Amino acid sequence: MLDVLVVGAGPVGLTLAAELARYGLSVRIVDKAAHPTTTSKALAIWSRSLELFDRMGCTEQFLAAGIQGHGASIRSGGQVLGHARLDAIPSAYNFALMIPQRETERLMAAHLGRFGPAVEREVELTGFEDRGDRVQARLHHADGREEMVDCLWLVGCDGAHSTVRHSLGFAFAGAPEPNDWVLADVTLQGAAAPPADEVSLYLHRDGLFVVFPMPGPRFRLVATLGAADPDKSRPDPTLESIQTLIAQRAGGGFTAEDPQWLANFRVHERKVADYRRGRVFLAGDAAHIHSPAGGQGMNTGMQDAINLAWKLAMVGHGAADPDLLLSYSPERSAVGEIVLRNATRMTEMATLANPAAQGLRNLVLRFALGLAPIRERMALQMSEVEIAYGSSPLSRGLHAGAHGLVAGARLPPEFYAGAPPGAGERPRFVLYAEPGADSADLLSRFPEMLEPVARPAPEGGLLLLVRPDGYIGFAGKAGDWAEAIAYLGGLAA
C-alpha cells in the first residue's frame, strides 16, 4: 500500500513529497496541470525556510539561482520615510532570497527526483474516502483512465481552490481584500531606477506602488488600482499603463521594458479552522491564503509540509505513536493565524485611502523606522525565525536557558554541533546533554526515536530533546532524565 498520496505539485506539494521520499516513505505526487507554472508568482524565500532547506540538503542550489534582498526602503512624496535592513536577523541567511516561483518549483522537483519519485501530470483527484485504516482515492488520467489508489494518508497541497478541502467540506473563512491590484515583471532602465538588492515601497496618495528585485536582472512591480468591482474585471494592464504608474507614484526617472508578465489580480484572505480530518491533511494555500504583503505565503506553506513530513515518517516507520500527528494542525494553524493577521495589517496600513490617515501613517513610519528595536522586530517577523510552538502538545518542560532555549523554540543553528536535526535518512529527535551513563541509557531506550549520539548541550545545566525540524521538544535541567524518558515514552509507538 502507498504511504502518502500528495495532491498538487506546487512548492508545498514538492517540498512534502521530497521530504517523505528522503525519509523512505512511498509517495506519489499528482497534479492536474499539464505543465509546471511558467510565471514568477511567489518571489521570496525567507531565512527560516533556508535553514530548513539545510537539513533537506538543497540550500546551495537555491542560493545559486536567486539574488539576495537585504532590506526595504519606504518613500512618500519624494521623501524617504525610512529603511528596514535584514542584517540583524540571527541566521546565516540574514536576507530574503529573491527567486521566481517557477525556479523554486524546478529546483524542488529536481531535489525530489534525487529520491526517485517524479510528478505525475494531467492526473486529477476526483474523489476519496477515508476508510479508517486507509484512504481510497480516485484518480482520473489524461487518457481517460480511472485509477483507484489505497494510501495510508492523503495530503491536499492543491491550492486556493483545493479539491481536497472542498471534498472535506471545510469552510474557508475570510473575505477578499477590497482593492484591485496589478503586477508587472519587467526590466528597468534609468538613473532613478530602484536598487537591485532591496524592496522599494512608494506610499502615494492614489495607492501603493512596490518594486521587488528579481534575478535577471528583472523587477516585479505591484500596485493597487482602487476599489474592486465584484461584477466587472479591469482590462489587462499594458506596458504604457505600468509606465504611467511609475511616473505618478514613483516620480518617474526610470522606464519599464521587456515585460514577461502583466496581470491584474485580487487578494483573498482566508483560512480553514483545522488542517486535518482523520487520514486527510491540508497544507499551504489549500489551508490558508492571504495578502502577498511580507512574502510569507509560500514559506508558510513549505514549512507546513516540513512539519507534517517528519511526523508522517516517524509514524509510518513505526517509531512514533499515530497520536504524534495530532500536533500538526494546532501547530501550523497557530502559525497560519499569525501570518494571516500580520499580512492583513500590513496591507491595510499600506492601502489607506483617507488623506489624514495616510499622513498619520507616514509620521508613525518615519518615527518607527528610526528606532533600531522596531526595525529588528520587523526583520524577525518577516524572516520567520521567531516562529515557535510553545503551546504545542509536543512542547514540554519549563526550564529556560540563557539564549531563550525553551520548549517550542527554534534551536539556533549555531548550537547544532553537527548536521542539522532531521538531516539523516530517518527523522529522529536529537539529545543535547552532557555525556555519561544517563545519556547512554536514554539513547539505548529509544533507538528509533533518537539519533544514536548525544550532542553537547548548548549551555551548561541543560538537557534538550530537539525535534527533527530543529525546534526544542523538551527543555529540562541537566538531571531531568526521568522527565526526558517520560516525554519520549509518551511519543513512542
Side-chain angles (χ1 to χ4, degrees):
M1 184 188 297
L2 181 71
D3 288 323
V4 186
L5 175 63
V6 178
V7 182
V12 177
L14 290 166
T15 300
L16 177 64
E19 281 290 82
L20 293 170
R22 181 170 73 88
Y23 283 142
L25 292 192
S26 58
V27 59
R28 289 177 65 182
I29 176 170
V30 301
D31 197 296
K32 64 183 180 181
H35 306 286
T37 186
T38 57
T39 54
S40 53
K41 294 185 178 178
L43 281 182
I45 299 180
W46 283 102
S47 312
R48 185 55 182 155
S49 296
L50 292 169
E51 290 177 353
L52 291 167
F53 285 5
D54 278 346
R55 54 188 282 290
M56 296 172 66
C58 59
T59 313
E60 291 303 318
Q61 296 94 309
F62 280 85
L63 293 176
I67 62 171
Q68 297 180 17
H70 291 282
S73 62
I74 303 178
R75 297 174 170 85
S76 179
Q79 295 182 328
V80 177
L81 299 180
H83 294 276
R85 299 292 295 176
L86 303 177
D87 306 334
I89 295 173
S91 172
Y93 308 112
N94 56 345
F95 50 83
L97 184 70
M98 309 303 292
I99 179 172
Q101 183 174 319
R102 60 177 176 268
E103 284 297 288
T104 294
E105 293 185 13
R106 180 184 67 81
L107 292 170
M108 197 59 75
H111 180 65
L112 168 64
R114 293 170 52 190
F115 308 105
V119 177
E120 300 175 45
R121 294 211 165 269
E122 296 184 278
V123 179
E124 181 178 3
L125 177 77
T126 56
F128 62 85
E129 182 180 356
D130 187 338
R131 299 199 166 185
D133 62 341
R134 70 192 190 282
V135 178
Q136 188 170 71
R138 184 171 63 254
L139 301 178
H140 178 79
H141 292 254
D143 61 4
R145 179 169 55 96
E146 298 284 334
E147 178 188 8
M148 301 302 294
V149 176
D150 285 335
C151 54
L152 291 178
W153 299 286
L154 183 148
V155 187
C157 304
D158 47 345
H161 302 287
S162 170
T163 297
V164 177
R165 187 188 67 245
H166 284 297
S167 298
L168 290 171
F170 282 1
F172 207 25
E177 197 271 336
N179 289 293
D180 278 328
W181 296 69
V182 64
L183 69 80
D185 285 355
V186 295
T187 60
L188 296 179
Q189 301 293 334
D197 66 345
E198 69 175 28
V199 177
S200 299
L201 291 89
Y202 301 85
L203 301 175
H204 190 267
R205 65 178 180 273
D206 294 332
L208 177 68
F209 185 78
V210 191
V211 182
F212 299 90
M214 297 171 61
R218 303 187 71 83
F219 293 83
R220 158 82 56 80
L221 312 184
V222 173
T224 54
L225 296 178
D229 182 344
D231 299 321
K232 185 172 66 175
S233 298
R234 293 178 186 264
D236 290 338
T238 63
L239 193 58
E240 290 73 20
S241 66
I242 296 300
Q243 190 61 50
T244 298
L245 286 170
I246 291 173
Q248 290 176 342
R249 301 191 189 179
F254 59 96
T255 58
E257 301 177 0
D258 188 23
Q260 282 193 343
W261 189 26
L262 299 170
N264 292 320
F265 66 99
R266 291 177 180 173
V267 171
H268 287 255
E269 297 166 328
R270 301 182 185 275
K271 181 180 170 296
V272 296
D274 199 336
Y275 288 26
R276 176 198 185 191
R277 178 183 289 163
R279 292 183 172 271
V280 181
F281 300 82
L282 298 174
D285 285 358
H288 49 82
I289 57 172
H290 36 75
S291 160
Q296 293 178 300
M298 182 179 68
N299 289 263
T300 303
M302 290 192 293
Q303 291 176 40
D304 291 344
I306 290 167
N307 181 291
L308 180 58
W310 71 264
K311 296 171 182 176
L312 288 173
M314 289 194 85
V315 174
H317 287 305
D321 187 275
D323 280 354
L324 175 65
L325 300 174
L326 296 174
S327 64
Y328 169 67
S329 183
E331 285 187 354
R332 295 309 300 171
S333 182
V335 172
E337 290 281 1
I338 293 170
V339 173
L340 180 62
R341 184 169 60 249
N342 289 341
T344 300
R345 287 173 177 171
M346 284 189 283
T347 303
E348 290 175 346
M349 179 192 69
T351 57
L352 289 171
N354 181 278
Q358 291 176 346
L360 179 60
R361 172 200 62 197
N362 293 352
L363 285 173
V364 171
L365 280 173
R366 186 190 296 275
F367 173 76
L369 291 171
L371 301 176
I374 291 181
R375 293 196 303 271
E376 291 172 7
R377 176 65 184 164
M378 291 172 60
L380 279 174
Q381 176 183 303
M382 304 290 280
S383 69
E384 297 194 325
V385 298
E386 68 170 4
I387 286 173
Y389 300 122
S391 60
S392 168
L394 299 187
S395 299
R396 304 280 178 82
L398 300 176
H399 189 67
H403 297 276
L405 303 178
V406 298
R410 155 186 170 268
L411 181 69
E414 61 264 29
F415 294 139
Y416 284 171
E425 294 181 353
R426 294 284 179 92
R428 291 183 172 91
F429 283 70
V430 180
L431 171 62
Y432 286 82
E434 299 303 318
D438 289 317
S439 60
D441 176 62
L442 189 68
L443 293 168
S444 66
R445 281 176 182 254
F446 300 99
E448 297 300 314
M449 293 286 292
L450 286 171
E451 287 190 1
V453 178
R455 302 189 194 183
E459 59 186 71
L462 280 184
L463 188 163
L464 303 178
L465 293 170
V466 177
R467 302 163 22 152
D469 55 359
Y471 292 92
I472 299 169
F474 173 81
K477 298 177 182 178
D480 289 345
W481 295 104
E483 291 84 350
I485 291 171
Y487 176 82
L488 291 173
L491 300 177

